[in-house]
């Protein structure tokens, strides 16, 4: 197709894009990019272009399309976009046209709802155009849905017939292209014969398009496709080349099944390519293209007819989408390894001394135990551009939180009543800390309240660690952070009681319970310390940010469950996902490990996709502006993510605790002196 043949097509497609850009959730601009794709995300607009060219062919190619034709073209694209949203959710696809799919960025639930919104918007436009347009679209949609259902029912079916394949192809792909051409023709005001001819043209073009797409799945690369290659065989969707290959390659039938490995899928692909089935499928493409072009005979003027035929051929002969222009963020310049290592070692020495000074550790061996050692390295990963003083301040606070976690997680703590009393005493200390924070008298912590003089090393360390955090944070932040600490201790108490009772949650409850005992509020507070300010509420409440936070935490916790599995099995930790899977499904230990490993890999892939796509999404929502707190925060997350993923390399996660370890019973006796002689910890 050339602009000389259809001089108004580019400007008319711009008018179509304007209508597409109006689709969204009323009053919620932060959700605009859920249904309004970033620049380049709308692909080639094949269906609107076909609608417009069909209109030009009958109405005249020398002037811009009427409003009705523009709206019809936009409506058919909305219906197509909706089908892609739903298809990607069904297929769990992570890419679309070389970019992260909507479901990988926003999540499956939001993608389905957005697809529904697109369907409703497209249907409304067609209803406004007239009863005929709306009815034709409804009939095409009904056939398309039926085709997808039939295809899904036939997955992994070795006896799938060529007739079944062609029927599904006609329904799920050809119907929408036929609808596009027919709707465009209808707006030209000509007779039913012309409309039918262009509808049949679109149908045959759609057949050729889908068969050609199925061939590319076997012959093209993932880069040229903009999605994973050879996915149909893996997903059990046996297309025309595979069906014909099955008739002549017995080895292929023995190979095809669910859960193919990558090597098996590649072997199957090579069998299909080597038997001539792909060449035969190309002949089917040619047959349908010939039929499509034959339907144009006698329509419009020869120049317009030839131009439409040329556009149809260009659709079939194209090699795939252009390389995506992904937004990338330059990696930060790393500090020299020697300097960074010296800083961490110096800070760790200070932390070891501080553990002894506060009394958290009674001996140097306790201070250097893997459970508490390595906090300097962990803090430096969270705050890579911090100086030694900042790293030490953050590490002290992290270390206090780890101590509180260990106190309630200690396998030697076997009385649920003592768990409740311990959590209560810690909550009292936090309440006192809030009061003393306002007075600036943190040194008094543990000397008032319901047990005067109680608290010991834990109270001393808590006050000193908070004093360092307090200097740089405003009162509102400090109040919120202490609330998060108290909420987290309640979740830790619940987890400890579940461990002692032998309770194992259901799969449905595992993640909510796991998230609560992990302290997401505390994690966000720590991030804000390293961020240098509170996250802007508009950014913090943005659905993409909240999804990234939930996904990141869930993935990190699932990965932690793998790394700490042996320890968790030994103490009966109730929320470990491997243990929960085995308890609920009865699978073997290795099967559960494999499934959790897959979930971790999947979580990291989704998070990477979100971070890759978010700049374009946010830029669209900000009308092209690439500045502000959301972009600054995004860049910071992208820069620090590799370091955060390395946190599992610290001593606390990479080693199994050996020897006697820290004397947690002593710390509990200091916190609960009234139970020192009679309680289980004596």
């Amino acid at each position: 197709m050339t602009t000389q043949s259809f001089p108004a097509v580019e400007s008319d497609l711009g008018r179509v894009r304007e209508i597409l850009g109006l689709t969204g959730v009323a009053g919620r601009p932060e959700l605009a990019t859920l249904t309004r794709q970033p620049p380049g995300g709308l692909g080639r607009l094949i269906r609107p272009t076909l609608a417009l060219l069909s209109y030009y062919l009958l109405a005249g190619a020398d002037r811009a399309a009427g409003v009705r034709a523009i709206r019809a073209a936009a409506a058919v694209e909305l219906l197509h976009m909706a089908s892609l949203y739903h298809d990607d959710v069904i297929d769990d696809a992570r890419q679309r046209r070389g970019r992260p799919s909507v479901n990988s960025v926003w999540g499956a639930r939001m993608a389905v709802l957005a697809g529904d919104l697109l369907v409703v918007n497209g249907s409304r436009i067609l209803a406004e155009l007239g009863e005929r347009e709306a009815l034709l679209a409804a009939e095409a949609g009904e056939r398309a849905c039926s085709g997808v259902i039939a295809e899904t029912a036939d997955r992994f079916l070795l006896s799938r017939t060529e007739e079944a394949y062609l029927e599904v192809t006609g329904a799920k792909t050809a119907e929408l292209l036929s609808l596009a051409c027919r709707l465009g023709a209808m707006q030209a005001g000509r007779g039913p014969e012309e409309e039918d001819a262009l509808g049949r043209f679109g149908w045959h073009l759609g057949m050729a398009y889908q068969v050609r797409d199925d061939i590319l799945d076997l012959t093209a690369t993932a880069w040229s496709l903009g999605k994973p290659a050879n996915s149909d065989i893996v997903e059990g969707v046996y297309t025309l080349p595979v069906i014909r290959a099955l008739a002549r390659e017995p080895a292929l039938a023995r190979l095809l099944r669910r859960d193919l490995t990558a090597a098996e899928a590649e072997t199957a692909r090579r069998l299909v390519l080597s038997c001539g089935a792909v060449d035969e499928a190309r002949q089917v493409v040619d047959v349908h293209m010939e039929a499509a072009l034959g339907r144009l005979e006698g329509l419009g003027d020869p120049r317009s007819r030839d131009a439409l035929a040329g556009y149809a051929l260009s659709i079939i002969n194209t090699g795939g989408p252009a390389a995506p222009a992904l937004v990338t963020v330059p990696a930060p310049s790393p500090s020299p390894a020697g300097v960074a290592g010296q800083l961490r070692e110096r800070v760790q020495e200070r932390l070891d001394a501080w553990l002894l000074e506060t009394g958290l550790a009674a001996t140097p061996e306790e201070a250097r135990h893997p459970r508490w050692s390595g906090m300097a390295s962990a803090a430096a990963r969270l705050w890579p551009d911090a100086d030694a003083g900042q790293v030490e301040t953050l590490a002290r606070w992290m270390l206090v939180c780890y101590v509180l976690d260990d106190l309630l997680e200690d396998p030697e703590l076997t009385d649920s009543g003592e768990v409740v009393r311990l959590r209560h005493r810690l909550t009292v200390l936090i309440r006192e800390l809030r009061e003393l924070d306002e007075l600036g008298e943190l040194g008094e912590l543990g000397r008032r309240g319901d047990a005067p003089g109680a608290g010991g090393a834990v109270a001393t360390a808590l006050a000193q660690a908070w004093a360092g955090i307090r200097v740089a944070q405003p009162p509102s932040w400090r109040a919120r952070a202490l609330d998060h600490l108290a909420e987290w201790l309640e979740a830790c108490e619940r987890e400890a009681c579940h461990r002692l009772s032998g309770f194992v949650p259901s799969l449905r409850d595992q993640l909510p319970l796991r998230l609560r005992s992990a302290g997401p509020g505390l994690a966000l507070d720590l991030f804000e310390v390293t961020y240098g300010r509170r996250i802007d509420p508009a950014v913090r409440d943005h659905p993409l940010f909240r999804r990234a936070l939930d996904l990141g935490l869930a993935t990190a916790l699932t990965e932690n469950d793998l790394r700490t599995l042996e320890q968790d099995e030994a103490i009966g930790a109730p929320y470990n996902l491997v243990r929960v899977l085995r308890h609920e499904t009865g699978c073997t230990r290795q099967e559960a490990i494999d499934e959790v490993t897959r979930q971790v890999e999947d979580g990291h892939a989704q998070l990477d996709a979100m971070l890759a796509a978010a700049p374009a999404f946010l830029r669209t929502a900000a009308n092209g502006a690439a500045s502000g707190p959301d972009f600054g925060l995004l860049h910071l997350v992208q820069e620090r993510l590799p370091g955060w993923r390395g946190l599992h390399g610290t001593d606390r996660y990479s080693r199994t605790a050996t020897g006697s370890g820290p004397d947690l019973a002593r710390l509990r006796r200091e916190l609960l002196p009234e139970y020192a002689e009679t309680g289980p910890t004596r």
Side-chain angles (χ1 to χ4, degrees):
M1 181 188 71
T2 65
T3 55
Q4 292 179 344
S5 302
F6 300 110
V9 67
E10 292 301 329
S11 61
D12 282 349
L13 285 174
R15 295 163 65 192
V16 169
R17 290 188 181 93
E18 290 178 4
I19 295 176
L20 298 178
L22 297 176
T23 302
V25 181
R28 297 295 298 271
E30 77 278 12
L31 299 176
T33 52
L34 179 59
T35 52
R36 192 181 311 158
Q37 297 298 288
L42 285 172
R44 293 176 289 164
L45 294 177
I46 289 174
R47 289 148 194 85
T49 302
L50 286 171
L52 290 174
L53 299 192
S54 298
Y55 170 84
Y56 298 143
L57 185 64
L58 300 183
D62 56 347
R63 62 182 182 274
V67 173
R68 289 180 59 88
I70 297 295
R71 289 175 61 78
V76 78
E77 181 64 13
L78 289 171
L79 297 178
H80 172 60
M81 288 173 60
S83 71
L84 297 184
Y85 279 33
H86 290 161
D87 285 350
D88 286 345
V89 171
I90 292 169
D91 298 337
D92 196 24
R94 296 301 156 79
Q95 284 189 319
R96 171 63 64 178
R97 301 183 182 119
R99 294 174 172 83
S101 61
V102 172
N103 53 292
S104 71
V105 176
W106 290 89
R109 179 175 298 185
M110 291 286 276
V112 169
L113 294 173
D116 293 344
L117 181 60
L118 292 170
V119 169
V120 171
N121 274 264
S123 300
R124 176 183 56 79
I125 291 174
L126 292 172
E128 291 170 350
L129 290 176
E131 183 178 349
R132 285 186 64 215
E133 285 85 351
L135 183 59
L136 282 171
E139 291 172 346
E142 180 182 6
R143 287 191 288 270
C145 290
S146 297
V148 174
I149 291 172
E151 180 178 75
T152 303
D154 289 348
R155 287 178 67 217
F156 300 102
L157 187 65
L158 294 176
S159 60
R160 189 187 193 196
T161 64
E162 185 169 326
E163 290 72 18
Y165 163 82
L166 293 173
E167 184 175 348
V168 164
T169 299
K172 76 169 190 176
T173 302
E175 283 291 344
L176 195 54
L177 268 70
S178 175
L179 177 68
C181 296
R182 191 179 292 272
L183 285 173
M186 289 170 65
Q187 310 318 309
R190 302 289 289 272
E193 291 184 2
E194 289 87 347
E195 295 173 6
D196 185 66
L198 280 164
R200 297 303 298 171
F201 159 78
W203 189 88
H204 283 292
L205 176 61
M207 292 294 292
Y209 184 85
Q210 184 60 59
V211 176
R212 166 257 186 197
D213 194 59
D214 294 339
I215 293 171
L216 287 177
D217 184 71
L218 293 162
T219 61
T221 63
W223 178 85
S224 64
L225 287 174
K227 60 182 180 180
N230 200 27
S231 60
D232 288 338
I233 283 178
V234 174
E235 294 167 6
V237 179
Y238 301 147
T239 57
L240 181 60
V242 176
I243 292 170
R244 294 206 173 184
L246 280 167
R248 64 190 67 169
E249 285 286 354
L252 182 62
R254 293 192 296 269
L255 186 62
L256 294 182
R257 62 178 181 278
R258 296 178 186 271
D259 302 320
L260 283 180
T261 66
E264 290 169 338
E266 176 60 18
T267 300
R269 186 184 75 90
R270 291 183 181 277
L271 284 172
V272 176
L273 295 178
S274 65
C275 71
V278 168
D279 291 334
E280 292 180 6
R282 289 194 179 104
Q283 294 173 10
V284 174
V285 173
D286 293 340
V287 168
H288 279 288
M289 281 306 300
E290 184 178 350
L293 299 179
R295 294 291 178 171
L296 298 180
E297 291 295 330
L299 297 179
D301 65 88
R303 190 180 68 166
S304 297
R305 189 165 59 244
D306 291 344
L308 177 52
Y311 178 70
L313 290 170
S314 74
I315 294 173
I316 300 301
N317 295 330
T318 184
L326 291 178
V327 178
T328 58
V329 177
S333 300
S335 301
V339 174
Q342 292 173 11
L343 181 146
R344 290 194 295 269
E345 185 61 31
R346 186 165 66 252
V347 172
Q348 190 61 56
E349 290 175 357
R350 294 179 188 174
L351 289 175
D352 294 344
W354 180 71
L355 285 168
L356 293 168
E357 290 168 6
T358 59
L360 285 179
T363 65
E365 290 73 23
E366 282 189 42
R368 275 291 184 175
H369 192 272
R371 291 294 292 174
W372 294 352
S373 184
M375 286 303 105
S377 178
R381 290 179 186 274
L382 288 172
W383 202 353
D385 52 350
D387 59 32
Q390 291 171 321
V391 171
E392 183 176 1
T393 296
L394 182 64
R396 282 189 179 190
W397 183 245
M398 292 171 61
L399 191 48
V400 166
C401 292
Y402 281 148
V403 170
L404 299 183
D405 186 36
D406 287 347
L407 283 170
L408 288 164
E409 195 180 69
D410 184 10
E412 295 185 9
L413 183 59
T414 58
D415 180 4
S416 59
E418 188 173 3
V419 170
V420 174
R421 292 190 291 270
L422 178 61
R423 198 273 304 170
H424 173 74
R425 180 59 191 148
L426 291 172
T427 302
V428 169
L429 282 178
I430 293 169
R431 186 167 63 241
E432 291 179 9
L433 185 63
R434 181 196 290 270
E435 297 169 357
L436 295 172
D437 176 81
E438 296 174 356
L439 299 173
E441 301 175 357
L442 298 182
E444 297 297 312
L445 185 63
R447 301 179 184 178
R448 4 189 295 181
D450 60 352
V458 171
T460 301
L462 182 60
Q464 292 184 11
W466 185 252
I469 294 289
R470 180 180 187 273
V471 173
Q473 302 302 328
S476 60
W477 184 95
R478 302 200 301 268
R480 187 189 66 174
L482 291 176
D483 285 342
H484 288 160
L485 184 60
E487 292 168 1
W488 171 64
L489 287 173
E490 289 183 10
C492 290
E493 173 195 328
R494 183 186 302 111
E495 182 177 17
C497 290
H498 281 165
R499 172 177 61 82
L500 294 176
S501 68
F503 171 79
V504 177
S506 66
L507 277 173
R508 178 179 179 179
D509 293 339
Q510 183 269 341
L511 182 57
L513 290 171
R514 187 78 170 87
L515 284 171
R516 291 172 193 168
S517 64
L522 288 179
L524 199 56
D525 294 337
L526 287 175
F527 178 76
E528 287 183 328
V529 169
T530 72
Y531 186 37
R533 60 182 181 273
R534 291 188 67 172
I535 298 172
D536 187 280
V539 177
R540 187 187 63 240
D541 295 337
H542 194 285
L544 282 181
F545 179 80
R546 289 188 284 113
R547 170 164 157 75
L549 181 62
D550 291 344
L551 182 60
L553 284 171
T555 302
L557 293 173
T558 304
E559 185 169 14
N560 184 71
D561 285 349
L562 285 174
R563 294 179 181 271
T564 61
L565 178 58
E566 291 186 5
Q567 298 98 306
D568 288 349
E569 288 175 331
I571 67 173
Y575 304 157
N576 186 292
L577 183 55
V578 175
R579 297 192 68 231
V580 172
L581 272 171
R582 295 190 66 190
H583 183 266
E584 181 152 314
T585 67
C587 65
T588 67
R589 185 176 188 269
Q590 188 57 52
E591 288 171 339
I593 290 174
D594 291 344
E595 171 60 22
V596 174
T597 301
R598 186 196 64 77
Q599 290 188 26
V600 170
E601 294 171 348
D602 190 56
H604 283 313
Q606 289 190 62
L607 197 58
D608 288 340
M610 287 195 66
L611 293 176
F617 275 94
L618 292 174
R619 184 175 289 107
T620 300
N623 295 319
S627 61
D630 44 6
F631 277 89
L633 180 62
L634 174 67
H635 287 195
L636 187 67
V637 171
Q638 288 178 309
E639 290 175 354
R640 295 187 180 180
L641 190 60
W644 297 344
R645 288 179 179 172
L647 280 174
H648 288 293
T650 58
D651 290 348
R652 182 176 180 87
Y653 295 98
S654 62
R655 300 180 191 168
T656 301
T658 57
S660 58
D663 190 353
L664 299 174
R666 171 180 62 83
L667 298 179
R668 285 198 295 273
R669 286 195 296 270
E670 293 177 359
L671 284 163
L672 302 172
E674 63 270 37
Y675 302 110
E677 296 301 323
T678 60
T681 59
R682 67 178 181 273

